[in-house]
Amino acid sequence: METERGKKMKRIRSLLCAALACLMLCSVTSVAATPAEEEWETTILFTHDLHSHFLPQPTDGGESGGYARLKTVIDAERAKHPDALVLDGGDFSIGSLVQTLYTTEGAELRTMGALGYDATTIGNHEFDHKGHGFGEMLNAAVDSGEALPALLEANYAPADDNPDKAYIQAAMDRYGVEETMLLERGGVTYGIFGLMGVDSNDCAPTSGFTLTDAADAAKHCVASLKEQGAQVIICLSHSGTDENQKKSEDELLAKAVDGIDVIVSGHTHSILTEPLVVNDTLIVSCGPYCENLGVLTVKGTYGKAEKTVEDYRLIPIDQTQKDDAQMAQLVEQWKEQVGATYLARYGLTYDQVLTTTNFTMIKPTYGYQENNCVGMLVADAFQWAVDNLEATHYDGHTITVTADGVLRADLAAGNITTSMAFDVLSMGVGEDGTSGFPLVDVYLTGKELKAAMEVDASVTPIMPAAQLYMSGVAYSFNTNRMFFNRVYDAKLVEPFVGYDCGMAKEADIDDEQLYRVVTGMYSAQMLGTVKSKSMGLLSLEPKDEYGELITDFSTRILYDKDGNEIKEWYALAAYLEQMGKQGMPEYYANAEQNGSKQVNRGFVPGQLLVGWNWISWVVLAVVLLLCLLIFLVIRTIVRRRRIRKGYRK
C-alpha cells in the first residue's frame, strides 16, 4: 500500500513535470516568435514639390501630373499595400491658378486630405503669401471641417519680431502643427517629423519665420520619438540633395544624425532613380509637379540600423493613368471658383485659348540656354505691358528683365491657355493680397546695367537661377573670357514687341546715366544681393528716378488705368492674347537670330582681347608675375647646377 508521503511526492513530481513542460513550451514559443516581433516592413508612397499641380500639364507627346490620376495610382498601390503611408516633402502650394484660393479656401491641404495623405511638411513656397497668408490658409483648411494631413515642422517657427506672430501661431495651434507625430499602422509604430532647409529658408525672404539648426532639431526629434516607442523614424525634409556634396543638405543631415530610417527629400526637385544610402538612412525623391508617385518598400530589424530595400519605383502620373471620378469632380469645383473670383477681374477664363505655337518654349534649368526659351518671351511681354497696360506713359527708354529663378513652366507646342500663362509666372503675392508678383520699375546706372549683364554671363554657371533675359538691350559675351569681364559688347536697342522686330536702332550705354528697368517684384528685391553673390566684384543698387536708393519696392509697383497692379503673369497672358490666331512669331523659335544676348564659346581674338576691365588686367598681371617668378627660379636652379659642375671639373 502506498504511503501518504509517497502520494505527496508523486503529486509534487507531477506538478514539477507539468511546470517544466510549460516552461519548455513557452521557451519554444518565445524562440519561434522572436524573429516575427523583431522584423518590420513598411511601404511609403511619397511626393514632394507638388506646387498646386491639380491638373495635367502638356508635354511633348503627352501630359504629366494631375491629382485625379494621382488618386488612381495611390489607390492602386494601397490595394497592394493596405498599411502603406502616404507622405509629402513640402511645397504643396504655388504653381497653378488654383493657388489663388490658397488664403480663402486652403485648397491644397483639403485636396491632400481627400487624396489620403497622412502627413506633409512646410516648404518655402507655403510663404509666397507671406507668414500672414500662411496662417489664413491654415484657418481656411480647418474651417472646412474636412480630413486634412498632419503638418509637421520642427525647426521653423514665427520670429519674435514678426508683428503677425500671435495670429500665425494661433493658426498653427488650431490646425495642430507639431514637430513630430506617432502613427501606428499594421503593427508598426512610426515616428515622423518635418524639417526646413537652409536654402529653402533663403528662398522665403518674406516668411517672417526663424530657422534653427536642422541637425540639432532632428537629433531631438529622433530621441523624443524613440522614447515614445517609435520603431521606424521618417523625416519629411524640405532641404534637398545636390550633386555637390557640400550643398546636399539632406545627405549632410543623414551623416550628422543617427537613427533616421528614411528621409523624403523635397525642395531641389531631385529625381532619385535609386535611394541614396547615407549612414544607414535611405534618402528618396521622385521629382516635382506630380510627375511621379514614389513607392518605397523596405524591411528591417528592430534595434538594428541595417535595412533592405524590397521595392523602389517612380510611377509616372501621365495620360496612361485613368482619372479618379470623385477627385476629378473636386478639381473642377476648384476651377469654377477660380474663374468666378480671381479670373473674373481680368475678363479671362481658366481654359481660354490665348494663342497657339508650333514649337515648344522651354524653361531653362542650367548652364547657358539660348534665346529661344520662355525667358525671352517674358522679357518682351513686360515691354508690351509697359507700352499697353501701364497707366502712366513713360517717354524714355525702358529695359525689361526677368530671371530664370521665377520661370516655373514650359509652354508646349499647341494651344496656349490662360492657366498655362499663369503657370509660367505663378510665384508670389502683390500688395493687393492676390496671387502673382506685380511689375515694378527701378533705375540703374549704365555701369550697373552692364554689371547685370555680367551676372548673366558669369554667375549663371554656378547659380543657374541668376540667368537673365532682357529686352531693350543687346549684349554679347564669350564664355572663355575672365569671370566678371565676359561681356565685350553692349548696346541699347529698340525692343521686340509683337510682330515688330526691334534691334534696328542702337545706342551706346552711358555709364553715368540712369536707365529705367522694369521687372517683377521678387527679381527687383534680389538685385541688391548681386554684390554678395559676386564676392563684391559687382554691385547693383536699385534707385528711383532721382537717384535715391529704394528701400520699399511696394512704392515702385506699376498700375493699369483702373488702379490694378500689373501682375507678371497677366503681362504675359495679355501679350499672348494680342497675338491671337496669328500664333507665336517664328522669331522665338530661332536661337541664333533672336533675343538680347549672343553667347560665344570660341577663341576669336576680337572677342577675347577687347574691353578688358580691371579684373582681367589684375589677373593678367598676377599671371605674368607668376611666370616671371617661375622663370627666375628656374634660371637660378640652372645657374647653380652649372656652378656645381664647374667646381667638380
Side-chain angles (χ1 to χ4, degrees), residues 83-96:
D83 298 322
L85 306 182
V86 186
L87 305 174
D88 180 77
D91 266 6
F92 48 79
S93 60
I94 311 301
S96 78

Side-chain angles (χ1 to χ4, degrees), residues 39-42 183-190 231-232 302:
E39 292 179 354
W40 58 268
E41 178 177 320
T42 184
L183 177 63
E184 194 281 328
R185 186 169 295 167
V188 180
T189 302
Y190 298 93
Q231 297 163 309
V232 179
Y302 296 127

Side-chain angles (χ1 to χ4, degrees), residues 474-582:
Y475 58 102
S476 302
F477 61 87
N478 191 301
T479 60
N480 295 310
R481 285 169 64 98
M482 184 58 56
F483 273 107
F484 306 121
N485 191 199
R486 289 184 165 174
V487 177
Y488 60 86
D489 185 43
K491 301 283 187 182
L492 299 177
V493 297
E494 289 298 312
F496 175 87
V497 178
Y499 282 83
D500 298 323
C501 183
M503 306 296 227
K505 299 178 181 178
E506 294 186 353
D508 291 332
I509 298 175
D510 184 340
D511 284 353
E512 303 303 320
Q513 183 176 332
L514 286 173
Y515 294 96
R516 188 189 193 216
V517 177
V518 170
T519 187
M521 174 74 82
Y522 183 81
S523 297
Q525 292 169 337
M526 291 297 103
L527 289 175
T529 68
V530 167
K531 188 172 184 177
S532 62
K533 298 296 183 183
S534 65
M535 298 168 287
L537 297 176
L538 301 175
S539 179
L540 300 179
E541 295 182 324
K543 293 169 274 290
D544 62 20
E545 55 268 44
Y546 306 108
E548 299 295 325
L549 294 181
I550 297 173
T551 57
D552 182 3
F553 287 94
S554 66
T555 63
R556 309 302 303 179
I557 293 174
L558 304 190
Y559 295 91
D560 65 17
K561 58 182 175 57
D562 296 320
N564 300 312
E565 294 180 357
I566 302 176
K567 303 286 190 179
E568 285 182 305
W569 80 267
Y570 182 64
L572 175 60
Y575 182 52
L576 293 170
E577 187 178 25
Q578 59 86 31
M579 295 178 185
K581 295 182 179 179
Q582 286 182 285

Side-chain angles (χ1 to χ4, degrees), residues 17 27 36 46 65 98 113 123 235 241 253 284 332 380 388 409 446 462 530 559 586 597 607 611 627:
C17 289
S27 298
F46 63 91
V98 181
C235 173
T241 57
L253 174 69
V284 296
E332 283 300 316
D380 289 342
N388 296 274
I462 56 176
V530 167
Y559 295 91
E586 290 294 325
K597 59 184 174 183
Q607 297 174 4
C627 290

Side-chain angles (χ1 to χ4, degrees), residues 68 181 247 322 582 611:
M181 70 177 293
K247 296 181 179 180
K322 294 182 179 179
Q582 286 182 285

Side-chain angles (χ1 to χ4, degrees), residues 349-355 415-422 576:
T349 59
Y350 201 104
D351 296 317
Q352 179 177 337
V353 176
L354 303 174
T355 191
N415 291 335
I416 301 178
T417 64
T418 301
S419 62
M420 292 168 66
F422 184 90
L576 293 170

